[in-house]
Amino acid sequence: MSVRGDVFDVRLRGRLADAARRNPRYAPRLGPVGPRAAQAMELVSGCRVREIRGDAAMILGLLDCGTGAPGDRRRPGPESCEVIESARLLGGEAVDLVLDCTRF
């Protein structure tokens, strides 16, 4: 899953999500990378991320999926996506993505 220049491999386990950052970045810090990881977790899980922990390479998120069990999410998503193509505007913000996603 690609979010604003960072690529994450997101895995789900019940109400937990792991986001492993896969792209190189000079002197990464959790401050700027964490919100991007949380957004990737939300897109994949369909749940809101209540809290994140970890470092800039591996981020753990606590999911809030509402009153239903994790398997009863309203918007279930794939667990792993690869970016095949992306179109960008001036300034580098991604506008259009083509993803190849796999559900485990």
Side-chain angles (χ1 to χ4, degrees), residues 8-19:
F8 299 96
D9 188 14
V10 177
R11 307 239 183 247
L12 304 174
R13 289 182 316 228
R15 294 205 186 270
L16 296 176
D18 292 321

Side-chain angles (χ1 to χ4, degrees), residues 18-61:
D18 292 321
R21 187 176 49 81
R22 296 182 47 196
N23 60 298
R25 180 177 286 279
Y26 177 75
R29 295 181 326 271
L30 184 59
V33 174
R36 295 175 189 151
Q39 184 178 359
M41 290 178 211
E42 289 176 349
L43 290 170
V44 170
S45 71
C47 300
R48 189 175 72 83
V49 174
R50 287 187 350 175
E51 182 181 338
I52 60 170
R53 295 180 183 178
D55 58 35
M58 177 62 80
I59 298 97
L60 176 70

Side-chain angles (χ1 to χ4, degrees), residues 69-88:
D72 297 333
R73 296 181 198 125
R74 285 180 276 138
R75 197 180 80 204
E79 291 190 354
S80 179
C81 294
E82 296 287 328
V83 177
I84 305 300
E85 290 181 42
S86 65
R88 299 190 182 275

